[in-house]
Amino acid sequence: MSRLLFFTCINLSIIFLTNSNPYEKPILDSTIATTLNVSKNDEKELCCPCTKNATTSSIEINNNPSATHHIYPPIIHDTAWKCNFVGNKLMRDDYRHSPGIGSHKLHTRAKVWNEARKICIEEGGHLAIINSIAEANLLLDLYNRSGPIKGAAYNNQFLLGIHDLYTEGDWVTIQGDSLAKSGYNTWTDKWGGQPDNGGGIQNCGAMLDDGKLDDVACNVPFAFFCEIPNF
């Protein structure tokens, strides 16, 4: 077969595949959100929706091997997402993205701890877990640049993803790690030193505006930090 005939066949095949796509449709927001926790080869990956002609589901491939999707940048929970082409990751545009640390957001509208926890999950992350002094400083900078705190019991404390709800005094992250393992357990020395389980009801963790930790009541509303980890 001559080179000219060979390349002509390839071009005709590409044209056929591009135009014969009965399954072409935008991927739903729920589908994009689901990819946030999909594992591949034991590593969590985010599917970047900016990429055109991504592979369809295995069911559609079996029914029509040439089927592809045009994927459009999604709107999830009224927030646009964008691609970080370093690693081809999906990122929210309302979070601050810090290489080597993660992506963070301060919610200035106060919520109780469990409501805050659910909101962070809906955004594809979790209540923030501080793993280093650098991350603590990053959160403080977000606070210093933020607008007014609304509806909080105190405006200088921010809920984190730590608690001792399982066993009093045994502080762990929402992922089950000890604070020592998480890398940051610097409690404030205010009010006689913390944590002190004031009133016998302070089982959720927060950060003060000096970067140190305090225990607070889980049913009291505070501003809160969400985090989407680097993968």
Side-chain angles (χ1 to χ4, degrees):
M1 181 183 293
S2 68
R3 291 188 177 181
L4 178 60
L5 179 58
F6 176 77
F7 285 111
T8 300
C9 291
I10 292 177
N11 290 334
L12 288 174
S13 298
I14 293 173
I15 293 171
F16 174 79
L17 291 174
T18 303
N19 294 328
S20 58
N21 186 8
Y23 294 95
E24 181 174 308
K25 59 191 176 186
I27 289 182
L28 298 177
D29 291 350
S30 59
T31 303
I32 295 295
T34 301
T35 67
L36 292 173
N37 293 313
V38 173
S39 62
K40 181 180 180 181
N41 297 328
D42 297 325
E43 293 181 0
K44 292 185 177 179
E45 295 185 357
L46 301 184
C47 179
C48 183
C50 302
T51 305
K52 296 289 186 178
N53 296 328
T55 305
T56 59
S57 69
S58 58
I59 295 175
E60 291 185 1
I61 290 174
N62 290 335
N63 292 337
N64 186 341
S66 65
T68 56
H69 277 315
H70 286 292
I71 304 177
Y72 304 96
I75 303 295
I76 304 175
H77 299 292
D78 299 320
T79 301
W81 291 60
K82 62 184 179 181
C83 289
N84 168 15
F85 287 102
V86 179
N88 200 33
K89 304 300 184 182
L90 181 67
M91 303 193 307
R92 293 179 64 102
D93 65 0
D94 58 342
Y95 275 62
R96 180 188 291 185
H97 309 287
S98 305
I101 298 179
S103 301
H104 299 80
K105 175 182 178 180
L106 172 62
H107 283 264
T108 56
R109 188 174 297 277
K111 299 290 182 182
V112 300
W113 191 84
N114 196 43
E115 291 179 357
R117 182 186 65 85
K118 292 178 181 178
I119 289 172
C120 293
I121 292 173
E122 289 173 356
E123 293 183 353
H126 54 73
L127 274 170
I129 300 169
I130 302 176
N131 300 117
S132 64
I133 294 176
E135 188 167 6
N137 289 336
L138 186 154
L139 298 185
L140 289 177
D141 188 59
L142 282 176
Y143 163 64
N144 290 328
R145 296 172 182 268
S146 73
I149 306 297
K150 301 176 183 178
Y154 300 96
N155 291 342
N156 66 335
Q157 291 183 291
F158 321 98
L159 296 175
L160 299 173
I162 61 174
H163 64 88
D164 70 343
L165 290 167
Y166 301 143
T167 302
E168 175 59 37
D170 183 14
W171 283 87
V172 296
T173 72
I174 54 175
Q175 298 174 338
D177 296 323
S178 68
L179 294 196
K181 183 177 179 180
S182 73
Y184 191 84
N185 60 351
T186 305
W187 295 92
T188 183
D189 57 3
K190 293 181 178 180
W191 310 295
Q194 302 300 315
D196 64 355
N197 193 29
I201 58 171
Q202 294 184 333
N203 300 116
C204 290
M207 185 182 76
L208 293 167
D209 59 2
D210 62 1
K212 296 182 179 180
L213 305 178
D214 184 25
D215 58 345
V216 298
C218 298
N219 62 350
V220 174
F222 292 94
F224 58 98
F225 288 107
C226 291
E227 173 184 2
I228 300 176
N230 287 328
F231 292 98

